[in-house]
Structures are given as C-alpha cells and as structure tokens.
Amino acid sequence: MIDGKKVLFSGMQATGNLTLGNYLGALKNWVTLSDEYECFYSVVDMHSITVRQDPATLRKRARNLLTLYIAAGLDPKKNCIYYQSHVSGHAELAWILNCFTYMGELNRMTQFKDKSAKHADNINAGLFTYPVLMAADILLYQADVVPVGVDQMQHLELTRNLAERFNNIYGDVFTVPEAYIGKVGAKIMSLQDPSKKMSKSDENPNGSIYLMDDPDTIMRKCKRAVTDSEACIRYTDQQPGLKNLIDIYSACTGNTPDQTVAEFDGKGYGEFKLAVGEAVVGVLKPLQDEFERLSKDKAYIDAVIKENAEKANYYATKTLRKVQRKAGFPDRIR
Ligand code: TYM
C-alpha cells in the first residue's frame, strides 16, 4: 500500500514495433486502472538485451515507448513512468531471487523455449533468468496487481511462487501479486494466422497491426485478415480468424463480443472487416497524434524521466534494504 492505495506494476519491452496486441492486451487496461491504484509503469530496457540489440536503436525505442505511455493517457504526475535501467534495485533484487529459483522452474518457461529456438545462436544466461528479473520488477514495488496479456501468465505464476517461497523462509517480506487479465483483448492473434499471437517479431507484417501504422495500412490489413467460408458472424473457436476480429472490434469499442455479434448479425465479412478497420483507426489515430506532439517536447519528457526515476528509486530501495537485511547482508553504516 502507498498512501492508502493498492500498488500496480507493469512493463513493456522496448523491442520491435509495438502491436495492437500490446495496446489492447496491456496499455489500454493500464489507463483504465490508473486512478484506482498507485501505479508503476516501466520501460523494461534491461529485459530487451536478452536478445542482441543495436544500442542507438534501443535507446530511441525506449524513449519512444516511454512517450507512448504518456500519449496513451497515463499522467506522469500520478503514475510512475520510468526506465528499468535507471533503478539499480531491479538487478540487485533479481540476483537475490536467482538464488531462490530452481533451474527446473526456468526450464519449463514456454517463452524461454520459444526464444531459444528463435535465437539458437545466442542462448544466453539472461534469456534463461529473464523471468526472475521480471519477478524482481514486480516484487520490488510490493505490487498487488499486474495487468498483462495471457502470454505473461506463466511468468506471473513464477513470481507468486518466488514471493511465497521467500515469505515462508523470512516472514512477510513480499506482497504476493495477482495478475489482471482484461475481459477482451488479452490474447490478440495474428491477422494472417489466428493460431499464433500477434507479435512484434512476426516475419509477416500483414499479420500485425503496428501502433504507428497509418490509417490506409490499418484498413488494408483488416480487409486482408484471414477468416473462413462460413459467411456467418459468430463468436466461436471454429472460426478463429473471425473470433479474433470480434475481439479486436469489441476491445476497441468497449462492446462485449455478444454485442458485436448482435450488431453485425446478418451482415457480410467485408462490411464487418471495414468496421473493424475503422474502429482500430479510431483508437490509434489520437494515440499517434498525441505521440507526435509529445515527442517534440524534449524538456517535458526529460523532466518526466528524471522525476519518475527518483520516485521509483525511493520505493525500490525501501524493499531492497528490507530484503537484503533478511538475506543476512551487513547493515550500512551511515
Ligand atoms: P511484452 O513487451 O512482450 O508485451 C507487453 C504487454 O503486451 C501484452 N501482449 C499482448 N496482449 C494481448 N495480445 C497479444 N498479442 C499480446 N502481445 C503482447 C503482454 O502480455 C504484456 O502485458 N516480460 C514482459 C515485460 C515485463 C513485465 C514485467 C510485464 C517485464 N517485467 C513485469 C509485467 C510485469 C514482456 O516481454 O512483455
């Protein structure tokens, strides 16, 4: 608790081009939850280097992502928006938690298996212990709730297990966090292959809508989205492409999937795809305009970076000192 409010933590990697999946599965919910909780939203740049990065590109993307958080509607006076690498406590707590995590637990992580298959020439120890750094992110702020897409659930489970394991040995040190998964949009699939999640690293650019795609591109990608030959608008697993479009439309308009099905009852796929495209443009265009505006205000963004890093460091250090003491590290002499 901070000032009587429960704490929320979440983060996003500054790797690749963000997709509509990142927005609907995470960022959009962050904005909705931001009044209710004391929020920490991190640009997790340290996670990004588990895959080889060009330094200048990473720096630029990290800044763009931080700006995008604000453009999406997160007020940096109320929400702590900061770079993970500006708070050394993340790495320090990750080390301690590493010593409480079993190899077998990390071996089971599906993201590790996927990423090591994709980057077979660079299966580094950071890729393996990635979920422990993620646990440290969350536990460092004593977060009660963590809004994420479905793909992060396994990492969240590990985080809860580590918190409970530590608490069982040393007493109540960590808050055990709960995942927050949105009702619609928690797993947006590729527009070209609805059996795969929409991903920044998809080789087929038509499968993903990127947050910075212009309206024509968005409309074209929606029109080309893979559906089926049933010619009937229903929300079922037998029509996965259509189901995904219903999810996208519902998440963009605030409808439930049932309301969307009722709205398009008897209409053709062509008409529906057009409406999906327009709904996505309606959500992304204001975001893009605000991003452009904010990007030009260097002094403002710099001030946000500085002030919020101080705030994050303050809360992170509080937890870290407590954990270090429990672990048996000598007290600092003041
Ligand atoms: P990342 O950067 O891959 O994704 C950021 C957020 O977007 C969600 N997401 C999706 N949601 C719905 N449909 C999709 N197709 C889709 N693709 C991505 C993700 O679930 C995530 O919520 N390890 C994390 C970053 C991280 C983190 C943390 C998150 C590091 N530390 C602590 C929460 C708390 C990751 O790589 O997310």
Side-chain angles (χ1 to χ4, degrees), residues 87-107:
V87 181
S88 58
H90 288 256
E92 292 183 71
L93 181 59
W95 172 254
I96 296 174
L97 295 177
N98 264 322
C99 301
F100 291 83
T101 311
Y102 302 116
M103 301 287 281
E105 287 177 305
L106 296 178
N107 255 326

Side-chain angles (χ1 to χ4, degrees), residues 34 51 74 81-82 114 131 148 165 182 189 201 261 281 319 329:
S34 70
V51 174
L74 296 171
I81 294 172
Y82 73 99
D114 291 349
V148 282
R165 187 171 305 156
M189 311 308 279
S201 54
V261 170
V281 171
T319 303
F329 297 170

Side-chain angles (χ1 to χ4, degrees), residues 270-319:
E271 191 177 334
F272 179 53
K273 286 178 177 180
L274 221 63
V276 175
E278 280 162 7
V280 174
V281 171
V283 167
L284 294 190
K285 186 70 175 60
L287 182 70
Q288 295 170 356
D289 292 347
E290 184 60 3
F291 173 80
E292 285 309 322
R293 192 186 71 76
L294 284 167
S295 302
K296 292 189 191 110
D297 198 344
K298 182 171 182 310
Y300 171 67
I301 300 293
D302 282 351
V304 167
I305 292 170
K306 184 166 181 294
E307 281 165 26
N308 282 280
E310 281 164 15
K311 180 174 171 186
N313 263 299
Y314 170 79
Y315 288 105
T317 307
K318 255 171 97 162
T319 303

Side-chain angles (χ1 to χ4, degrees), residues 9-15 18-27 30 44 47 65 84 111 115 130 133-135 137-138 146-153 155-156 185-190 196-200:
F9 182 94
S10 204
M12 231 179 246
Q13 290 206 59
T15 326
L18 290 210
T19 71
L20 185 66
N22 295 123
Y23 181 74
L24 297 179
L27 197 49
W30 296 4
V44 293
H47 277 103
L65 183 54
Q84 183 188 34
Q111 190 168 309
K115 284 208 175 163
Y130 175 115
L133 179 58
M134 179 160 161
D137 299 341
I138 297 166
V146 184
V148 282
V150 166
D151 62 335
Q152 296 300 317
M153 274 308 281
H155 292 161
L156 241 288
K187 193 166 188 195
I188 300 295
M189 311 308 279
S190 157
K196 284 195 331 202
K197 78 163 183 174
M198 186 180 282
S199 156
K200 298 176 225 179

